[in-house]
């Protein structure tokens, strides 16, 4: 009896309801409602509550082509409610939701033609089976691409992990290297200090020994002192080169004393006597005049006493005589005339030299005794070593910062995108050449030539649904004219080779790159999606 009652009710609503069979009876499911939502449309004492809970209506008022509920939930199969949605079953293909306003509008929106049920003579055909077969063929090819791409992705994962390990090791080495360099520098400094102290000790001992030997040579009477008379015997101490060592000259070397003992001779006399001895022995050479025009020794500029008698140095008494002053005046006048003549000759030889012009004069490098030159060479060597160490330390700091930046980047859960860094990919359309350097920057440049414009610099990954590595965002690009800074979104897709397939500008100063790469070929994720699509089909 109960079964017959339910069948009668089902018959009354068959004109506007789609019937779904169950093991118990034919259960009504309103047209335009999916199987998932069918349970929401069960009657309760022939009454039904709108899905938003705002109103209770008679169950037979569903799909009566009159909008009773504010949310349009009572008219899923008609165009009566502007807010309603219609579910296309599309068996054999993908289900689909369309606005209820498209129901019975004469246009085929559902591949199973269920949205045009009010037109029996409609030209809409059920094409879901054909579309399903085409979709399956596409998915089959996509599965093969994912299978091959996944193998390449595995290789990229291996390389990515290897790169990370190498970077980590290099960072550890660089972090330890400055400490090692510092220890080496300290050891080098200590070694130089020891060498310097040793050289100083040896030099001091050598100087003391030289002073002692000369003290014994000057101490003719062996009384333990060197006096004025004993110094007068050494013509090398003749300062004015008149052939006689005067008392005043001898007392200068004795620190204005009459005599000195060994200690005073070493500390006071010997530092004054040694340069005179070295000069007389030819160890110190007077500077050689250099002709600035030819950069060579000019015989005309050499000392006047070459090949002539040595000029006489006047004594103190001679400088007081009137004749000496007259000679000085005549000599000054003669020198002034010579300077004027030389200037005139120089102006004749150099007619193109203007007022205020500067003529470069090469100065010969000074010559040092071997001991001084050795210390200069050591100082230059230490200075160069310090400059090299400082430069190397700067290079280490720069490389270390770059490594830290690379290590901190997210190259995917298995570093599968790591190998893309350092590469750049180009795409050319009718106007521009676009460049993508993953994890670095994006740019565009006119084909006809011109300045390259930065579209964005690496920012972060952007999730697309459950895929956390579907898109990359590049921000902080060059500013548009009277607009914001440029930015770009890079959409990653699975393919057997890495390349840009399309570039567009959907919004002003916002760019979209389609980028294919084996790194995006995650076979496990693809197969899970395949299973869901098969269930839908």
């Amino acid at each position: 009896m109960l079964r017959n009652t339910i069948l009668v009710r089902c018959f009354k609503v068959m004109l506007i309801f789609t019937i779904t069979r169950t093991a118990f009876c034919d259960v009504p499911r309103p047209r335009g409602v999916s199987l998932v939502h069918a349970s929401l449309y069960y009657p309760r004492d022939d009454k039904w509550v709108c899905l938003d809970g705002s109103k209770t209506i008679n169950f037979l008022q569903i799909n009566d082509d009159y909008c009773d509920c504010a949310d349009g939930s009572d008219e899923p199969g008609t165009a009566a409610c502007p807010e309603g949605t219609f579910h296309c079953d599309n068996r054999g293909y993908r289900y689909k939701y369309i606005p209820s306003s498209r129901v019975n509008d004469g246009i085929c929106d559902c591949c199973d033609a269920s949205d045009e049920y009010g037109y029996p003579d409609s030209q809409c055909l059920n094409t879901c089976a054909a579309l399903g077969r085409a979709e399956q063929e596409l998915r089959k090819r996509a599965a093969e691409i994912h299978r091959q791409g996944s193998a390449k992705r595995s290789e990229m994962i291996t390389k990515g992990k290897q790169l990370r390990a190498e970077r980590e090791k290099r960072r550890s080495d660089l972090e330890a290297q400055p400490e090692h360099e510092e220890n080496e520098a300290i050891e080098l400094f200590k070694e130089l200090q020891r060498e310097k102290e040793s050289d100083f000790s040896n030099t001091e001992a050598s100087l003391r020994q030289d002073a002692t030997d000369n003290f014994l040579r000057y101490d003719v009477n062996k009384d333990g002192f060197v006096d004025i008379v004993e110094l007068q015997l050494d013509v090398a101490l003749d300062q004015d080169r008149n052939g006689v060592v005067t008392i005043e000259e001898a007392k200068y070397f004795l620190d204005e004393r009459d005599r000195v003992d060994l200690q005073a001779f070493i500390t006071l006399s010997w530092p004054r006597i040694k340069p005179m001895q070295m000069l007389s022995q030819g160890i110190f050479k007077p500077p050689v005049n250099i002709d600035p025009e030819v950069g060579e020794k000019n015989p005309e500029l050499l000392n006047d006493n070459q090949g002539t008698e040595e000029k006489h140095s006047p004594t103190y008494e001679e400088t007081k005589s009137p004749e000496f002053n007259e000679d000085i005046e005549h000599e000054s006048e003669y020198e002034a005339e010579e300077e004027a003549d030389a200037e005139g000759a120089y102006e004749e030889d150099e007619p193109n030299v203007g007022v205020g012009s500067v003529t470069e004069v090469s100065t010969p490098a000074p010559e040092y005794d071997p001991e001084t030159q050795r210390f200069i060479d050591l100082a230059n060597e230490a200075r160069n070593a310090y400059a090299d160490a400082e430069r190397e330390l700067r290079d280490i700091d720069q490389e270390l910062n770059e490594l830290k930046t690379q290590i901190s980047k997210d190259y995917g859960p298995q570093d599968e995108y790591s190998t893309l860094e350092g590469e750049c990919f180009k795409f050319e359309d009718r106007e521009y050449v676009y460049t993508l350097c993953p994890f670095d920057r994006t740019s565009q440049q006119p084909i006809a030539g011109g300045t390259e414009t930065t579209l964005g610099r690496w920012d972060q990954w952007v999730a697309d649904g459950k895929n956390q590595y579907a898109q990359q965002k590049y921000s902080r690009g060059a500013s548009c004219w009277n607009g914001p800074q440029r930015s770009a979104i890079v959409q990653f897709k699975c393919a057997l080779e890495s390349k840009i397939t399309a570039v567009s500008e959907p919004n002003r100063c916002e760019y979209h790159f389609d980028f294919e790469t084996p790194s995006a070929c995650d076979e496990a994720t693809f197969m899970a999606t395949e299973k869901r699509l098969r269930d839908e089909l």
Side-chain angles (χ1 to χ4, degrees), residues 235-267:
V235 183
L237 304 182
D238 179 17
Q239 291 180 299
D240 54 12
R241 293 293 184 265
N242 61 359
V244 178
V245 180
T246 63
I247 295 176
E248 288 78 7
E249 290 174 334
K251 291 187 72 174
Y252 165 76
F253 295 109
L254 295 176
D255 195 32
E256 303 302 328
R257 305 180 188 184
D258 293 334
R259 64 177 187 172
V260 294
D261 59 6
L262 175 60
Q263 186 61 34
F265 182 85
I266 293 174
T267 57

Side-chain angles (χ1 to χ4, degrees), residues 434-436 440-444 453-460 462 471-481 483-491 503-514:
Y434 295 90
T435 302
L436 167 63
D440 185 12
R441 63 183 179 86
T442 56
S443 65
Q444 70 175 9
T453 302
T454 300
L455 303 182
R457 300 189 179 279
W458 161 251
D459 190 349
Q460 61 181 348
V462 179
Q471 298 176 340
Q472 283 186 346
K473 181 179 180 181
Y474 292 78
S475 58
R476 306 182 306 279
S479 297
C480 288
W481 178 257
Q485 284 186 306
R486 291 176 172 85
S487 62
I489 294 293
V490 179
Q491 181 75 43
V503 179
S504 61
E505 188 178 1
N507 298 305
R508 182 169 180 256
C509 305
E510 296 179 3
Y511 299 83
H512 188 278
F513 286 66
D514 286 332

Side-chain angles (χ1 to χ4, degrees), residues 7-19 28-32 59-60 62-65 75 77-78 86 104 114 116-120:
L7 287 175
V8 171
R9 291 179 178 176
C10 289
F11 178 76
K12 291 180 180 180
V13 296
M14 279 184 64
L15 293 176
I16 51 176
F17 277 59
T18 300
I19 305 301
R29 174 164 64 93
R31 189 187 300 274
F59 184 68
L60 295 179
I62 296 177
N63 280 342
D64 63 352
D65 205 17
E75 298 297 321
T78 71
F86 182 88
N104 291 327
S114 58
E116 301 300 321
Y117 64 89
Y119 290 87

Side-chain angles (χ1 to χ4, degrees), residues 19-30:
I19 305 301
T20 300
R21 294 186 176 275
T22 66
F24 177 66
C25 72
D26 293 330
V27 178
R29 174 164 64 93

